[in-house]
Amino acid sequence: MKRLVSFFEIPSSDFKRAVKFYETIFDISMPSFECEHEKMAFFPNEDELCPGAISWAEDFLPSQNGVLISLNCDDMEATLSKIKACGGKVVIPKTKIEAENRGYFCIFADSEGNHIGLHCDK
């Protein structure tokens, strides 16, 4: 079976602010693409495929009530510090997943108000 998640898009109301937010908290560079009615900045490739993007389109609006995706990180405390420094907010603090060997999760609000999960092994 292929990876269950094919591609994700995180909506933004301020495209440049959202791209800077994710580049800073994950210490990555996100190449951007702009056409007439849409802007996208792509997360780094994984296994030669791009997993997702920050997107802007007039009718694609951020929401705290939409689908929740979780992104991996190596050091949750360090990532949460960057999130706060970039204007994000912790919604659910680092919490142990109550299943064996599943690690930890938290949920944060990004610069656009989207609720996004973080996952790490320790």
Side-chain angles (χ1 to χ4, degrees):
M1 179 178 187
K2 292 182 182 180
R3 265 193 273 188
L4 189 57
V5 175
S6 175
F7 191 78
F8 64 85
E9 293 182 47
I10 299 173
S12 65
S13 52
D14 183 324
F15 181 72
K16 288 181 181 181
R17 176 181 66 198
V19 172
K20 182 177 180 180
F21 179 88
Y22 283 94
E23 285 182 329
T24 301
I25 69 166
F26 289 117
D27 194 26
I28 58 174
S29 181
M30 299 179 73
S32 295
F33 167 79
E34 296 185 30
C35 63
E36 290 181 31
H37 304 289
E38 187 176 10
K39 299 175 186 177
M40 296 180 88
F42 300 97
F43 284 92
N45 286 351
E46 296 175 359
D47 300 324
E48 299 183 34
L49 296 173
C50 176
I54 303 301
S55 297
W56 178 91
E58 210 169 293
D59 60 348
F60 191 41
L61 303 174
S63 171
Q64 64 182 3
N65 300 313
V67 173
L68 180 67
I69 62 166
S70 292
L71 306 172
N72 284 312
C73 68
D74 292 326
D75 183 335
M76 191 171 287
E77 286 84 6
T79 304
L80 287 172
S81 291
K82 291 178 184 179
I83 287 168
K84 292 175 197 172
C86 290
K89 295 181 173 98
V90 177
V91 176
I92 297 175
K94 181 178 178 180
T95 304
K96 182 169 180 17
I97 298 170
E98 295 300 326
E100 191 173 333
N101 298 321
R102 295 296 294 158
Y104 296 83
F105 82 96
C106 73
I107 297 175
F108 67 92
D110 72 4
S111 61
E112 309 305 293
N114 295 299
H115 284 196
I116 307 291
L118 281 181
H119 177 264
C120 73
D121 292 332
K122 50 186 176 165

